[in-house]
Amino acid sequence: MPTSELDVKDARIVAMLKEDSRASTQAIADALGMPRVTVHDRIRRLQERGVVRRFTVELGKEELGWRLHAFILANWAGERGQTDRRDVAQEICSMPFVVGCHIVTGQWDFIIEVLARNMEDLGDSILDDLSAVPGVGHTQTLVSFYSFDGEARALS
């Protein structure tokens, strides 16, 4: 649900939580000039509706030593009826260097977002771990030089 479909008060609460998910209910209430109980109830309803799914911390990947960000395009090499692409994607996602895996249309079957400490670490992860997954075929790795975050207009 786009935030434009929320009422004004809920949209303001969501904006504040996006800025600082650790903000207390009282701090949000004070900033918005609303009663604390009202803010608490609205946040609870936003959670129940699935608008707010979790409160989280964004870690500094580079500061933690994960300086290399890459995308791996992979083909599916399974047999129909024996290997399900969704199972392959789940197994890929269980690997510690994988940020996410998408099953896609087109020339490739999977787009896998990964982090690594350096090129050697990335190479080992692909050769030792990813290549060992039944159902993963040919891969192509794209290393990201720069990363820019945006906000989907549908979410604003």
Side-chain angles (χ1 to χ4, degrees):
M1 165 184 297
T3 54
S4 61
E5 293 182 19
L6 298 175
D7 71 24
V8 175
K9 291 177 181 178
D10 282 348
R12 291 172 66 199
I13 290 169
V14 168
M16 289 196 69
L17 289 171
K18 283 171 47 180
E19 184 68 30
D20 180 5
S21 67
R22 291 183 57 198
S24 70
T25 305
Q26 187 65 58
I28 295 170
D30 291 346
L32 300 179
M34 296 169 58
R36 186 197 59 75
V37 173
T38 301
V39 171
H40 174 76
D41 290 345
R42 284 179 171 268
I43 292 172
R44 184 183 42 76
R45 282 195 301 272
L46 288 166
Q47 289 177 284
E48 289 170 355
R49 290 169 44 203
V51 174
V52 173
R53 293 189 179 171
R54 63 186 174 140
F55 302 89
T56 187
V57 172
E58 182 178 337
L59 299 175
K61 297 178 292 258
E62 289 184 12
E63 292 77 6
L64 290 171
W66 298 94
R67 303 195 186 294
L68 190 65
H69 191 186
F71 298 87
I72 301 170
L73 307 174
N75 284 120
W76 179 65
E79 294 294 324
R80 291 210 184 277
Q82 292 181 358
T83 308
D84 188 318
R85 290 175 205 179
R86 290 167 288 224
D87 294 335
V88 173
Q90 288 287 4
E91 185 170 349
I92 290 169
C93 283
S94 72
M95 297 178 177
F97 64 98
V98 174
V99 175
C101 179
H102 300 266
I103 299 172
V104 297
T105 62
Q107 177 182 356
W108 299 95
D109 296 299
F110 304 101
I111 298 177
I112 307 158
E113 184 177 359
V114 300
L115 296 175
R117 297 188 186 285
N118 52 47
M119 286 298 285
E120 183 180 8
D121 186 35
L122 176 62
D124 290 344
S125 296
I126 294 168
L127 294 172
D128 299 338
D129 300 323
L130 186 61
S131 297
V133 175
V136 172
H138 179 74
T139 64
Q140 180 178 346
T141 304
L142 309 167
V143 174
S144 173
F145 292 133
Y146 303 101
S147 180
F148 299 91
D149 292 328
E151 184 171 334
R153 292 198 192 281
L155 296 176
S156 31

